[in-house]
Amino acid sequence: GNLYVNFENEGLKRFMEGKFVPIPFSEKFSDDEIVGIDIFDNEDLIAATAESGFFLIKINPYGNELSVEKLEINFQSLIAQTTIQSFKKIGENLFAFGTNGDGLFVFDQSGKITQSINENSGIKDPFVNEFIKDSRRSIEASIRQWSCLCKCF
């Protein structure tokens, strides 16, 4: 795999041949924190930013980045004015992100939110710092004051 780093005020760069090289259209990330990058499908990557949401990084068969496109995930109506804290792929076509005030959300490749885990559905604190998927198909979340186990998907 490739190593990507988001440089403040410079954008996303890939490490290649001993140095960090900007990817095309990386300026879209220069003013925002990337909280996670993962494999979207067989060729492309998905990047989650704290403030701007999700982006699809199109990769050609040679491994070169071709474009960066905003990925529409209809979560804005579900959360207040919070930021995305953490993000990762949790299944074949499922992704999850934690927020700093509205809990944890799961969405599929089409961008549809399939599950929201918040104070109303069992999480004691909606500030999700980080999370992992365990072997039992559950999500263990690190929240502001303790950790919790959530049954998911």
Side-chain angles (χ1 to χ4, degrees):
N2 291 317
L3 172 65
Y4 291 91
V5 175
N6 192 40
F7 289 88
E8 190 174 347
N9 300 321
E10 293 181 42
L12 189 64
K13 295 183 179 187
R14 177 170 45 131
F15 190 74
M16 79 190 240
E17 298 177 3
K19 61 184 176 186
F20 286 99
V21 179
I23 68 164
F25 314 103
S26 66
E27 67 278 356
K28 290 186 180 190
F29 304 113
S30 63
D31 294 330
D32 205 349
E33 175 188 1
I34 294 179
V35 296
I37 296 178
D38 216 319
I39 297 169
F40 184 72
D41 55 25
N42 290 336
E43 293 118 19
D44 302 327
L45 301 174
I46 182 172
T49 65
E51 303 287 335
S52 304
F54 300 90
F55 292 87
L56 193 60
I57 302 172
K58 296 290 225 175
I59 309 288
N60 70 14
Y62 304 105
N64 298 314
E65 301 83 6
L66 297 178
S67 66
V68 175
E69 303 167 4
K70 179 88 166 132
L71 186 62
E72 294 305 322
I73 309 294
N74 189 16
F75 67 89
Q76 298 299 346
S77 61
L78 300 172
I79 66 175
Q81 299 295 335
T82 62
T83 58
I84 297 171
Q85 291 290 113
S86 51
F87 165 78
K88 59 183 56 80
K89 189 172 190 171
I90 60 169
E92 182 64 31
N93 296 310
L94 290 174
F95 304 87
F97 64 96
T99 67
N100 71 345
D102 287 299
L104 185 78
F105 294 88
V106 177
F107 66 94
D108 63 20
Q109 272 187 320
S110 71
K112 179 183 174 202
I113 298 287
T114 60
Q115 190 168 7
S116 61
I117 303 165
N118 54 33
E119 290 174 304
N120 298 329
S121 60
I123 199 168
K124 297 202 182 287
D125 185 336
F127 192 103
V128 178
N129 292 314
E130 189 57 77
F131 61 91
I132 59 168
K133 184 186 88 163
D134 68 16
S135 60
R136 299 171 303 206
R137 295 179 51 110
S138 298
I139 289 181
E140 293 185 45
S142 167
I143 55 181
R144 188 171 22 200
Q145 298 175 10
W146 47 73
S147 65
C148 68
L149 182 65
C150 312
K151 189 65 179 170
C152 186
F153 64 98

